[in-house]
Amino acid sequence: MPDASRLPTIAVLATGGTIAGAQSAAQAVGYVAGAFDIGRLLAAVPALGGMAVLRPEQIANVGSQDMRHDVWHALATRIRALAADASIDGIVVTHGTDTLEETAYFLDLVTAPGKPLVLTGAMRPATALGADGPANLYAAVALAAHEQARGRGALVLMNEHIHDARGVQKIAATGLAAFDSPDRGTAGVMQAGRPRFHRPAAARRVAWPDAPLPDAAQWPRVGIVYAHADMQADVVEYMAQRYQGLVLAGVGDGNAGADAMRVLADAASRGVAVVRASRTGRGHVAPNVEVDDEGLGFIAAGDLNPQKARVLLMLALMSNTDRAALRRCFEAA
Ligand code: SIN
């Protein structure tokens, strides 16, 4: 029996997802995400008891397609408190995989990079043959308990690979190898319950670890406009009237047809913050290459994908709406 007084204490904050999903039968294709609570998930991995003292908390129990800003607010508030709690050594968040990268990046930006913070999920529901949730949860707790995970901000653990929140993306709709860090590379790998990092922690130049977070209902509205062939401008017009910030998930180098670009430029001239990102999933959207960002009042997203550019723009708009300041924020991210 391990000596519990010597084991690290890990808080496990559960939010739902496929890792907590249930099928009608182990071979069934369909399932309901967020069916099991955190107690059931932890009970399925008895080996965790020998590794850490666990402090489970159910923050939400949703499929992550339904992840909302009020849950992000609750997570950030709780993680900031746990970071200041001397009895806690590390934090794990269980999450659906669909928007996991967005939550990870949000938490990375609003919490201090001190204690290990690890997000994990599963591609197969808890009741499936060969469910990946137990192994991911075991590795996530091992990572959160490890000294080398300190000071790295939010990490994502999926399928034995460790990713930085900044670079990770869900890159496949199905299959166990659904996560990658396309341009930046993975941060490391878990081997026999210990992390092997490929590089030192990256310095963060943009973050709001101590800024008070207003109620989620007061957060700036930032939406994503998806470009495509024969794109009509009416949807852009509709959003430009209602949102304080728009991210273009542009074709190629963050571009769109002339009509859509004209509406976006009009919106920018009226004070809507417009960020150009690429729908391609990798590469770097640099300012003033294909598009005259300076002249049209746009901001280039660099290598942030549209969904992460949305998170950054929303947080940046909470403290500053000045175009030059927003540009600097994206250049430093
Ligand atoms: C979800 O994101 O909640 C559903 C999909 C998954 O967790 O893999």
Side-chain angles (χ1 to χ4, degrees), residues 16-19 31 33 62-65 95-99 122-123 170:
T18 293
I19 191 169
Y31 67 96
V62 295
S64 77
Q65 68 279 3
H95 199 288
T97 60
D98 288 348
T99 59
M123 290 300 292
K170 185 170 185 179

Side-chain angles (χ1 to χ4, degrees), residues 12-21 34-46 48 54 58 61 94-95 120-122 125-127 133-134 137-138:
V12 184
L13 310 184
T15 68
T18 293
I19 191 169
F36 295 128
D37 67 18
I38 185 60
R40 293 277 296 276
L41 296 195
L42 296 177
V45 197
L48 284 172
L54 301 174
Q58 194 79 45
N61 208 355
T94 62
H95 199 288
T120 194
T127 49
L137 192 51
Y138 183 85

